[in-house]
Amino acid sequence: MQALNQKMSTQEALDYFDSLDVVPAEMMIGKWRGEGVDTDHPMDGMLESSRWHGKVFEGPEAVFPLVHRGLFGGKFFANPNLMPIGLTAALPFRDFLVPLLFPLLQILLRTSQPKARLRMTEYRGKVSATMVYDAKAINDVFRKIDDDTVFGLMDKKGDERPYVFKLYREV
């Protein structure tokens, strides 16, 4: 098996995901720090450049899918409904522009309301914890690396392949 911090092909990531155990929904409750896995997906690096920190699962009906670091050290919940993911991924000079623009727009992107739910769904032959966005055709499906680390696939309607990431439990 390839080390998780190394670049992986999409197929290697899918094979690794398929080899992992399922995640019970209750395991996801809490705060998680996120990190993308480089698979040459168009979104690779985009979340990091926007100062993405991770996700917060307060309960089955209350999930904050986008926790970002603010300019002055605090964290805030971003509203995914206001983020043009497809457009941003295709933006010329994205890796230069997003770090400049996102902090300036953070006041407009903030939310105090959960924007996703936690469910058990079947994906790639196993039933596992899944974060379902409220207003986007996106599901983040999780598999267990260990009790404090999960491997995630962002299954977005219309994308040929998933965006791959890891979450680490915060204490």
Side-chain angles (χ1 to χ4, degrees), residues 7 16 38 65 75 80 83 87 98 107 115 123 128 130 148 162:
K7 184 173 181 162
Y16 181 65
D38 185 358
K75 295 183 186 90
M83 300 177 80
L87 174 65
V98 170
I107 192 121
K115 297 298 177 184
Y123 183 76
S128 194
T130 303
D148 296 315

Side-chain angles (χ1 to χ4, degrees), residues 1-163:
M1 175 182 61
Q2 199 167 6
L4 284 181
N5 292 330
Q6 292 180 344
K7 184 173 181 162
M8 304 172 91
S9 70
T10 299
Q11 190 57 56
E12 289 169 330
L14 290 171
D15 291 344
Y16 181 65
F17 180 84
D18 290 343
S19 76
L20 296 170
D21 288 333
V22 299
V23 174
E26 57 274 6
M27 181 182 146
M28 295 304 300
I29 303 302
K31 296 177 181 179
W32 296 81
R33 180 178 52 84
E35 173 182 281
V37 174
D38 185 358
T39 62
D40 283 330
H41 189 280
M43 282 186 54
D44 283 352
M46 187 172 73
L47 286 171
E48 289 82 358
S49 68
S50 70
R51 303 174 58 88
W52 178 59
H53 177 79
K55 301 178 182 295
V56 173
F57 297 81
E58 292 183 345
E61 298 298 320
V63 178
F64 294 90
L66 298 174
V67 180
H68 288 263
R69 293 181 312 281
L71 283 178
F72 304 106
K75 295 183 186 90
F76 69 96
F77 302 128
N79 185 344
N81 305 348
L82 301 176
M83 300 177 80
I85 294 171
L87 174 65
T88 306
L91 188 67
F93 309 110
R94 177 198 77 198
D95 294 338
F96 173 74
L97 290 175
V98 170
L100 294 174
L101 295 176
F102 194 84
L104 299 173
L105 297 174
Q106 76 181 30
I107 192 121
L108 301 172
L109 298 174
R110 288 177 182 265
T111 184
S112 61
Q113 300 300 312
K115 297 298 177 184
R117 299 172 295 146
L118 183 60
R119 296 290 186 263
M120 296 295 291
T121 66
E122 187 274 327
Y123 183 76
R124 297 187 61 84
K126 294 181 182 178
V127 176
S128 194
T130 303
M131 187 192 77
V132 179
Y133 282 79
D134 291 342
K136 295 223 179 244
I138 300 173
N139 294 332
D140 289 349
V141 187
F142 308 108
R143 297 282 174 85
K144 183 178 178 177
I145 295 173
D146 60 43
D147 288 341
D148 296 315
T149 314
V150 297
F151 199 67
L153 297 183
M154 184 183 92
D155 179 37
K156 181 176 173 275
K157 186 176 182 176
D159 278 4
E160 292 180 20
R161 55 194 176 117
Y163 172 72

